[in-house]
Amino acid sequence: MTNPSETQKAGGGLLAGMSPWALAGHALPWAIAIGFFFIAEGYLSFGTQIIIWILFALSLDLALGYAGIVTLGQAAFFGFGAYAAGWFSIHVSPDPILGHLFAIGLTAIVGLISGALILHTTGVTFLMLTLATVLIMFEYANQAKEITGGDDGLQGMKVGPIFGKYEFNLFGHTAYVYSLIVLFIWFVIMWRVVKSPFGRSLDGIRQNARRMRAIGTPVWWRLLAVYTLSAAMAGSAGALSAHATRFVGLSVLSLLTSGIVTVMLILGGTRRLYGAFVGAIVYFVVQDYTAKISPYFWEFIVGGMLIATVLFLEGGLMDLGGIARRQWERLTGKASKP
Amino acid sequence: MSSPVLSVRGLSKSFGALVVAQNIELDLMAGARVGLIGPNGAGKTTFVNLLTGFLRPDAGTIQLDGIAIEGMRPEDRVHRGLARTHQINTLLVEESARDNVAITIAEREKFAWRAIRYSPQWQQCLDEAQARLDEIGIGDVGDRQVRHLPYGKQRLLEIAIALALKPRVLLLDEPAAGVPSSETHVFHKVLDRLPAEIAILIIEHDMDVIFRFAKEIVVLVQGRVLTRGEPAQIAVDPQVRAVYLGRTVV
Ligand SMILES: Nc1ncnc2c1ncn2[C@@H]1O[C@H](COP(=O)(O)OP(=O)(O)O)[C@@H](O)[C@H]1O
Ligand SMILES: [Mg+2]
């Protein structure tokens, strides 16, 4: 018999009982992100954009990856958060943190209401309703020119210094660090949540909702809760985007935005936490490099990578790490750990 | 005399023209051991689905401890003490056997809304889950992903999950269905050891099991209760032999 209290001690804290290799694995992405700040000065707004999309993709991972909510409506929340933060900065206060919290709260409410309206459906019906959510929001933003600026976008955002101290400067130092901190906070929350009993029940719902009802799970409420949290995260990413660029355009609410974030997540790998990181980075780097060759070429490359990933790597590019490790262990003759 | 834990009156259900439950009546006392038998398609699984709320009856009432539950959602019935197993394995196949049970215990204990502070509670769930797997004889495969478990152990896991809910009424839908006869003795032992106070309704095709385990047998044919009685009575009932036992031979 195995001893559960030995194998399952990880419950103690997020890092408790972790092997040095796993710890290093967790430290690496953050070390890279911090290192980037010091060595890639000219690329900080590029880096900020990647961080924002990582957060956006993480929000999708929570709903799509963990809870199995097949949605293409995530842009609705990203866009709503961006407009909310932009509107707040113009009409209420230029304080970015207040605006950010405002955007998160309001987007969570939008997630709660729209989720309550559509989460009783499943499958294609649900998918269509999420698409409709984006389309309605887009058209509303297009029409409501006094609030959103219509297709000119939201002009005249005023973004004050963070804590009254750190100005959003031209080189994007502040935006980068601020976005990275926000991402880190969300990442820790999400990590904690997906390993929690609540998160485990989402795993259960994804695998077999009927089983979960048979053990007393209020499936609809759980899905509504995670949909709301996912919306809040996406709204947070949208708010970061608004503050970092001091502009919100209609494209944040387009179906393409939903599509891109889905591609990133699938590319990197769902339910891997870092899949969103890998996916967003690969997407942007490939785009940046190949777009110089031809504006169409990069879409071709990304499309090809997506096909290869879904056909051969069940867990996205993140699977490559595991495959490489197994190969390494085979070559060095080390048996993989039990 | 005490009142029944589960009480069913006039339960009816049709799928279009097909009548699958017709005016079914049933009382289960605490500690009851009732066998439900009948030919394939008689409506036995449908009856379990009606009791547990996965199907809505067209008519009739279901009371659990005197409280009408026929309008409740399945999950609310579970929290009131009604558990079931499935004729076709309904498991979380990507999870380990232990996590299947731990997730169940988290629901039972209402820990399952916990998202940030949970470590001691979750550890409790895991420990109890392992104990329950040990009890039913599959503790050695607690770590294995369910999809890689042998079929017979998956069937036992179905039962372990239902028991982890600490039910007062347990509905077993062909617990040993599909298990090779060389393994059925394991199920006999599990059935014998079920907590005495639980009221149990068991659907089972193996007549040896039914006659050993059940104190009362209900015979269902085309959604109707054909007859009911003690096993000895049922075994010699000519009607039953004609429609059902004729081919099994007692
Ligand atoms: N959801 C459903 N819709 C339509 N017909 C159904 C449904 N579920 C079961 N049936 C039919 O009801 C009858 C009884 O099925 P079931 O309760 O599974 O029988 P048993 O468990 O006694 O073998 C069968 O003829 C089956 O085909
Ligand atoms: Mg059946």
Side-chain angles (χ1 to χ4, degrees), chain A residues 101-154:
Chain A
L101 293 175
F102 173 78
I104 290 173
L106 215 57
T107 316
I109 292 170
V110 172
L112 183 72
I113 293 171
S114 66
L117 291 175
I118 67 176
L119 274 170
H120 63 279
T121 67
T122 54
V124 177
T125 312
F126 180 80
L127 190 68
M128 290 304 123
L129 291 174
T130 62
L131 287 180
T133 310
V134 181
L135 291 173
I136 289 168
M137 290 245 196
F138 181 91
E139 207 38 48
Y140 178 77
N142 192 19
Q143 299 296 326
K145 290 196 167 44
E146 326 73 60
I147 305 174
T148 63
D151 51 13
D152 293 333
L154 193 63

Side-chain angles (χ1 to χ4, degrees), chain B residues 44-45 87 173-174:
Chain B
K44 304 181 296 297
T45 297
Q87 184 177 351
D173 193 353
E174 303 198 27

